[in-house]
Amino acid sequence: MRNRNWRQYMRITLARTRATMRLIRVHLTFVQSRLRYSHSGYDSSLVSTPNCGGLRMGLVYSGGVDESLDPRQRSAQTRRRRTKDSLVKAAQARFADLGWQATRIEDVAKDAGVGVATAFSHFSKQSLLGHAYRPIIEPLLQRATEDVAHNRDPVEALTRHVHELAQIGRKHQKLTISLLAAVQEQTISVGGQPKPDDRSDVRSIVPLTKPMIELIAHGQRTGTFRADPPSADVGAYHTNALLLRIMTWPQESASATAELVLSQVLPGLMNIASPANGGRPTHGGGEAPRTVVRINEVDPEPRGMRVPAGATAH
């Protein structure tokens, strides 16, 4: 009787040990796939659809599912990607509705049906907002690259970019203001420029200044724009000025905001050949050339302060 009970006890113990080992193997597999995936990152893109004005925000993770993994690892990787997608979509709605201050990671996690600890393991508040905003700005990044590659007119390309950036900022105004707050917090926290390899920095996730910098550099290479100051300084300065205008003048129209910025950036960039110096381009000194901004259309939107029709903007 005693031997029978002992054998039964050993069978139960052995079964429990095997079950524990299986759980440990599953856990280690998940951790391994998580570590491997954390180095892959993802790129944002727009996916065409007829339901949202022709565009739908979506996320495409670089590499997708690694086919070299075993089925359990691929399953864990897929779950991780879906979790991040759910968090980003919930964040887009939360930040757009409530803004930066009133949005909490805990609320985003609840909306996405994800645990709070899991949400924090994927994103900080700043990086989450960056991933939510990246699909919105992606077309501008692509278009600037195409303009440079096809050697398009720098003035026309820069003018179009400023107008499109102003339209995006006004259309997604609360989300854009939230992004500005996130960038400020990140800058204060880091104490300087983002590190090139830091994928968690909102300024790297959403490089808002990059398109204008590329277009100005293109104009400088072609001789359309003066060679100084550096394109990085001019592009960053005027992009930030446009975004700050969106935040401080919330009732102004997108066209008025764009016209104001262009009236400041173009006169300082243009290479004007002066007869007084033998036709050589002028590179600073004295008063900047004036740009006449004419308003041909009637815009019913509230404008705040804008340049009247036919007025000279400095």
Side-chain angles (χ1 to χ4, degrees):
M1 183 68 179
R2 183 177 300 175
N3 291 335
R4 186 183 306 166
N5 291 340
W6 175 254
R7 286 195 298 271
Q8 185 177 3
Y9 169 77
M10 290 300 296
R11 283 196 298 270
I12 294 174
T13 302
L14 182 60
R16 289 177 177 175
T17 301
R18 288 173 176 170
T20 302
M21 293 301 295
R22 283 196 297 271
L23 289 175
I24 291 175
R25 282 197 298 270
V26 170
H27 178 72
L28 290 175
T29 300
F30 173 77
V31 171
Q32 181 183 9
S33 64
R34 179 174 175 178
L35 290 174
R36 182 180 301 184
Y37 187 74
S38 66
H39 296 288
S40 64
Y42 75 87
D43 296 320
S44 304
S45 64
L46 288 176
V47 182
S48 179
T49 179
N51 294 327
C52 298
L55 295 175
R56 174 173 63 84
M57 288 186 290
L59 299 174
V60 179
Y61 290 88
S62 64
V65 177
D66 189 347
E67 296 298 332
S68 66
L69 302 177
D70 63 43
R72 287 177 298 182
Q73 291 175 319
R74 289 200 299 270
S75 177
Q77 193 177 71
T78 300
R79 287 196 301 272
R80 179 178 173 83
R81 186 176 65 252
R82 289 175 178 172
T83 297
K84 296 183 77 170
D85 281 344
S86 299
L87 286 168
V88 169
K89 291 176 182 177
Q92 287 170 346
R94 274 276 174 178
F95 283 115
D97 184 37
L98 301 177
W100 175 254
Q101 292 293 340
T103 298
R104 304 185 310 157
I105 291 283
E106 293 84 350
D107 297 325
V108 174
K110 182 180 179 180
D111 293 345
V114 174
V116 175
T118 301
F120 276 107
S121 72
H122 289 295
F123 299 109
S124 65
K125 186 176 179 181
Q126 289 88 352
S127 65
L128 180 58
L129 178 56
H131 289 297
Y133 201 91
R134 175 67 187 238
I136 299 174
I137 204 70
E138 187 69 28
L140 295 190
L141 300 174
Q142 296 175 356
R143 193 168 295 117
T145 301
E146 292 172 359
D147 287 338
V148 174
H150 291 86
N151 198 29
R152 291 170 182 152
D153 180 78
V155 176
E156 293 181 1
L158 181 59
T159 300
R160 184 181 64 249
H161 168 73
V162 170
H163 276 279
E164 290 177 347
L165 181 60
Q167 290 169 4
I168 287 175
R170 291 299 180 189
K171 181 178 180 180
H172 306 279
Q173 189 157 285
K174 190 167 287 189
L175 201 59
T176 301
I177 295 172
S178 298
L179 180 66
L180 291 178
V183 167
Q184 288 180 349
E185 286 192 10
Q186 189 92 63
T187 304
I188 294 171
S189 175
V190 174
Q193 296 297 317
K195 298 178 181 178
D197 58 344
D198 187 359
R199 290 180 174 269
S200 64
D201 193 310
V202 64
R203 297 168 296 175
S204 299
I205 300 169
V206 187
L208 281 171
T209 61
K210 182 180 177 182
M212 191 180 293
I213 291 173
E214 288 182 348
L215 293 174
I216 292 174
H218 169 55
Q220 291 174 334
R221 287 192 298 269
T222 60
T224 305
F225 297 152
R226 50 187 284 190
D228 61 296
S231 59
D233 295 341
V234 180
Y237 181 86
H238 288 286
T239 299
N240 289 327
L242 186 153
L243 298 172
L244 186 62
R245 183 76 178 184
I246 290 173
M247 181 175 68
T248 56
W249 292 83
Q251 300 303 318
E252 187 175 63
S253 69
S255 60
T257 301
E259 289 162 4
L260 178 63
V261 172
L262 288 169
S263 72
Q264 301 297 314
V265 65
L266 285 178
L269 284 174
M270 297 303 296
N271 250 340
I272 306 298
S274 172
N277 65 355
R280 294 188 302 274
T282 59
H283 293 286
E287 183 180 359
R290 296 167 178 253
T291 299
V292 177
V293 179
R294 302 189 184 279
I295 304 163
N296 298 320
E297 79 286 354
V298 177
D299 191 344
E301 299 181 53
R303 292 185 176 274
M305 295 183 62
R306 65 165 298 153
V307 182
T312 301
H314 297 275

